[in-house]
mmCIF file of all heavy atoms in Angstrom:
data_model
loop_
_atom_site.group_PDB
_atom_site.id
_atom_site.type_symbol
_atom_site.label_atom_id
_atom_site.label_comp_id
_atom_site.label_asym_id
_atom_site.label_seq_id
_atom_site.Cartn_x
_atom_site.Cartn_y
_atom_site.Cartn_z
ATOM 1 N N THR A 191 -28.095 3.239 -5.137
ATOM 2 C CA THR A 191 -28.522 1.916 -5.402
ATOM 3 C C THR A 191 -28.683 1.479 -6.844
ATOM 4 O O THR A 191 -29.322 0.518 -7.083
ATOM 5 C CB THR A 191 -29.949 1.812 -4.590
ATOM 6 O OG1 THR A 191 -30.835 2.646 -5.237
ATOM 7 C CG2 THR A 191 -29.799 1.882 -3.124
ATOM 8 N N SER A 192 -28.006 2.267 -7.607
ATOM 9 C CA SER A 192 -27.980 1.910 -9.029
ATOM 10 C C SER A 192 -26.915 2.578 -9.749
ATOM 11 O O SER A 192 -26.405 3.632 -9.291
ATOM 12 C CB SER A 192 -29.244 2.182 -9.744
ATOM 13 O OG SER A 192 -29.323 3.598 -9.870
ATOM 14 N N ARG A 193 -26.556 1.978 -10.897
ATOM 15 C CA ARG A 193 -25.511 2.685 -11.740
ATOM 16 C C ARG A 193 -25.930 4.027 -12.245
ATOM 17 O O ARG A 193 -25.237 4.874 -12.358
ATOM 18 C CB ARG A 193 -25.204 1.706 -12.947
ATOM 19 C CG ARG A 193 -23.807 1.697 -13.532
ATOM 20 C CD ARG A 193 -23.842 1.022 -14.781
ATOM 21 N NE ARG A 193 -23.497 -0.459 -14.656
ATOM 22 C CZ ARG A 193 -23.934 -1.342 -15.480
ATOM 23 N NH1 ARG A 193 -24.441 -1.049 -16.593
ATOM 24 N NH2 ARG A 193 -23.592 -2.589 -15.227
ATOM 25 N N ALA A 194 -27.233 4.146 -12.390
ATOM 26 C CA ALA A 194 -27.889 5.398 -13.009
ATOM 27 C C ALA A 194 -27.661 6.490 -11.863
ATOM 28 O O ALA A 194 -27.265 7.660 -12.087
ATOM 29 C CB ALA A 194 -29.330 5.245 -13.273
ATOM 30 N N MET A 195 -27.738 6.178 -10.551
ATOM 31 C CA MET A 195 -27.604 7.087 -9.537
ATOM 32 C C MET A 195 -26.080 7.586 -9.487
ATOM 33 O O MET A 195 -25.788 8.705 -9.155
ATOM 34 C CB MET A 195 -27.976 6.564 -8.117
ATOM 35 C CG MET A 195 -29.542 6.589 -8.041
ATOM 36 S SD MET A 195 -29.850 5.667 -6.335
ATOM 37 C CE MET A 195 -29.414 7.007 -5.132
ATOM 38 N N LEU A 196 -25.273 6.666 -9.733
ATOM 39 C CA LEU A 196 -23.731 6.846 -9.770
ATOM 40 C C LEU A 196 -23.501 7.808 -11.032
ATOM 41 O O LEU A 196 -22.560 8.783 -10.797
ATOM 42 C CB LEU A 196 -22.973 5.632 -9.782
ATOM 43 C CG LEU A 196 -23.061 4.704 -8.626
ATOM 44 C CD1 LEU A 196 -22.155 3.502 -8.867
ATOM 45 C CD2 LEU A 196 -22.588 5.458 -7.285
ATOM 46 N N ARG A 197 -24.166 7.631 -12.106
ATOM 47 C CA ARG A 197 -23.940 8.550 -13.204
ATOM 48 C C ARG A 197 -24.288 9.949 -12.903
ATOM 49 O O ARG A 197 -23.657 10.844 -13.274
ATOM 50 C CB ARG A 197 -24.705 7.966 -14.452
ATOM 51 C CG ARG A 197 -23.986 6.773 -15.041
ATOM 52 C CD ARG A 197 -24.074 6.689 -16.490
ATOM 53 N NE ARG A 197 -23.352 5.489 -16.916
ATOM 54 C CZ ARG A 197 -23.860 4.174 -17.110
ATOM 55 N NH1 ARG A 197 -25.194 4.149 -16.943
ATOM 56 N NH2 ARG A 197 -23.164 3.298 -17.378
ATOM 57 N N ASP A 198 -25.520 10.008 -12.187
ATOM 58 C CA ASP A 198 -26.047 11.379 -11.856
ATOM 59 C C ASP A 198 -24.988 12.117 -10.980
ATOM 60 O O ASP A 198 -24.767 13.257 -11.004
ATOM 61 C CB ASP A 198 -27.266 11.239 -11.057
ATOM 62 C CG ASP A 198 -28.508 10.901 -11.844
ATOM 63 O OD1 ASP A 198 -28.401 11.215 -13.165
ATOM 64 O OD2 ASP A 198 -29.600 10.678 -11.413
ATOM 65 N N ARG A 199 -24.458 11.226 -9.951
ATOM 66 C CA ARG A 199 -23.469 11.737 -9.121
ATOM 67 C C ARG A 199 -22.268 12.381 -9.858
ATOM 68 O O ARG A 199 -21.766 13.427 -9.596
ATOM 69 C CB ARG A 199 -23.081 10.779 -8.086
ATOM 70 C CG ARG A 199 -22.159 11.175 -7.030
ATOM 71 C CD ARG A 199 -22.078 10.252 -5.863
ATOM 72 N NE ARG A 199 -21.000 10.961 -5.009
ATOM 73 C CZ ARG A 199 -21.353 12.001 -4.195
ATOM 74 N NH1 ARG A 199 -22.602 12.510 -4.136
ATOM 75 N NH2 ARG A 199 -20.367 12.592 -3.570
ATOM 76 N N VAL A 200 -21.842 11.573 -10.868
ATOM 77 C CA VAL A 200 -20.672 12.090 -11.513
ATOM 78 C C VAL A 200 -20.911 13.336 -12.396
ATOM 79 O O VAL A 200 -20.142 14.400 -12.327
ATOM 80 C CB VAL A 200 -20.203 11.057 -12.611
ATOM 81 C CG1 VAL A 200 -19.059 11.605 -13.609
ATOM 82 C CG2 VAL A 200 -19.598 9.855 -11.885
ATOM 83 N N ARG A 201 -22.163 13.517 -12.851
ATOM 84 C CA ARG A 201 -22.655 14.749 -13.573
ATOM 85 C C ARG A 201 -22.553 15.776 -12.561
ATOM 86 O O ARG A 201 -22.054 17.007 -12.935
ATOM 87 C CB ARG A 201 -23.998 14.531 -14.224
ATOM 88 C CG ARG A 201 -23.953 14.134 -15.575
ATOM 89 C CD ARG A 201 -25.301 14.238 -16.340
ATOM 90 N NE ARG A 201 -26.252 13.281 -15.761
ATOM 91 C CZ ARG A 201 -26.404 11.951 -16.228
ATOM 92 N NH1 ARG A 201 -25.616 11.516 -17.257
ATOM 93 N NH2 ARG A 201 -27.243 11.096 -15.692
ATOM 94 N N SER A 202 -23.085 15.722 -11.387
ATOM 95 C CA SER A 202 -23.152 16.779 -10.392
ATOM 96 C C SER A 202 -21.683 17.268 -10.103
ATOM 97 O O SER A 202 -21.314 18.381 -9.878
ATOM 98 C CB SER A 202 -23.727 16.200 -9.081
ATOM 99 O OG SER A 202 -25.053 15.674 -9.381
#
Side-chain angles (χ1 to χ4, degrees):
Chain A
T191 54
S192 72
R193 210 188 272 158
M195 284 176 72
L196 297 176
R197 289 218 173 89
D198 279 349
R199 190 167 171 73
V200 171
R201 265 190 295 271
S202 307

